[in-house]
Amino acid sequence: MAAAPDGRSLSRKSTSFSLHSPSLNSLRLRRIFDLFDRNGDGLITIDEISQALCRLGLDAAPSELESAIRSHIPPGSAGLRFDDFEALHRELDRDFFGGGESELEPVDAAVQEQTDLHEAFNVFDENGDGYISAKELQAVLKKLGMVEGQELARVEQMIGSVDRNRDGRVDFAEFKDMMRNVINKRT
């Protein structure tokens, strides 16, 4: 990241709520994909997208969705696979939010770090209650294909190692301390 004349770091304008970590971006998209894929068949049909948008209060005519999405559905397929969904997301990000542009703006590094940590925390806090439970952590670890996610007892040990107040879950302050310790160990 470059520095502005006043010492603040420079960052590309935020686009479609993109995180700085590609693996967290992929995990966030995977969660969205899984929410849209109502029948769990690994495909998102235009009907499933339409239903999801309706639940969000964003009514869209299936014909409009089809014209916007059809080019990302492989020939002979009934819907979008995850890779197709990622490609659609990148295209929408670029077309509507200017993703991929190199425009830089000054950003306070501390504010950016806090924002990134909140976004990362929210990836793990699947139910949005402000805490990461062992089951939520296990779900994320499984989605990432990590062997640690196979045993709940092991995940509970991971939670316990950073759970200062011993309530069985990780709040944002505990998460932030854990992430800073991980970063400090790497440097």
Side-chain angles (χ1 to χ4, degrees):
M1 214 178 266
D6 63 2
R8 293 185 295 170
S9 62
L10 292 175
S11 173
R12 192 170 59 80
K13 283 185 179 178
S14 178
T15 58
S16 68
F17 199 60
S18 293
L19 304 174
H20 290 282
S21 168
S23 61
L24 289 177
N25 269 327
S26 183
L27 181 60
R28 178 180 56 93
L29 280 176
R30 172 54 77 176
R31 283 181 53 200
I32 293 167
F33 182 88
D34 291 345
L35 288 172
F36 282 19
D37 182 15
R38 299 285 293 177
N39 63 1
D41 66 354
L43 293 175
I44 300 176
T45 64
I46 292 171
D47 186 49
E48 287 172 322
I49 291 174
S50 179
Q51 290 173 15
L53 292 175
C54 275
R55 285 191 304 275
L56 293 170
L58 305 169
D59 292 325
S63 61
E64 292 173 5
L65 285 174
E66 184 164 359
S67 67
I69 296 169
R70 178 58 56 197
S71 66
H72 290 278
I73 297 175
S77 179
L80 298 168
R81 297 172 310 220
F82 180 67
D83 292 345
D84 307 322
F85 183 68
E86 279 185 309
L88 174 63
H89 179 267
R90 280 191 305 273
E91 182 177 304
L92 292 173
D93 183 35
R94 184 183 62 247
D95 291 349
F96 293 103
F97 301 103
E101 294 176 6
S102 61
E103 184 177 341
L104 299 176
E105 66 178 16
V107 174
D108 181 278
V111 170
Q112 186 64 52
E113 177 188 25
Q114 187 79 356
T115 300
D116 289 348
L117 285 171
H118 269 290
E119 290 176 0
F121 181 83
N122 290 337
V123 167
F124 291 92
D125 181 18
E126 290 190 318
N127 67 4
D129 68 354
Y131 299 96
I132 302 170
S133 69
K135 288 192 182 272
E136 286 173 317
L137 178 57
Q138 183 180 33
V140 171
L141 294 175
K142 281 182 175 179
K143 286 178 184 176
L144 290 172
M146 299 178 75
V147 70
E148 292 88 348
Q150 300 304 317
E151 296 177 38
L152 186 58
R154 190 163 181 190
V155 175
E156 288 170 341
Q157 285 179 326
M158 294 169 74
I159 293 282
S161 71
V162 296
D163 181 18
R164 290 185 314 236
N165 64 3
R166 302 290 178 224
D167 64 354
R169 53 195 184 168
V170 176
D171 60 32
F172 180 70
E174 293 165 334
F175 178 80
K176 186 165 61 171
D177 290 343
M178 177 197 67
M179 293 303 289
R180 286 186 175 149
N181 287 336
V182 167
I183 291 167
N184 288 339
K185 285 180 183 178
R186 288 184 183 168
T187 56

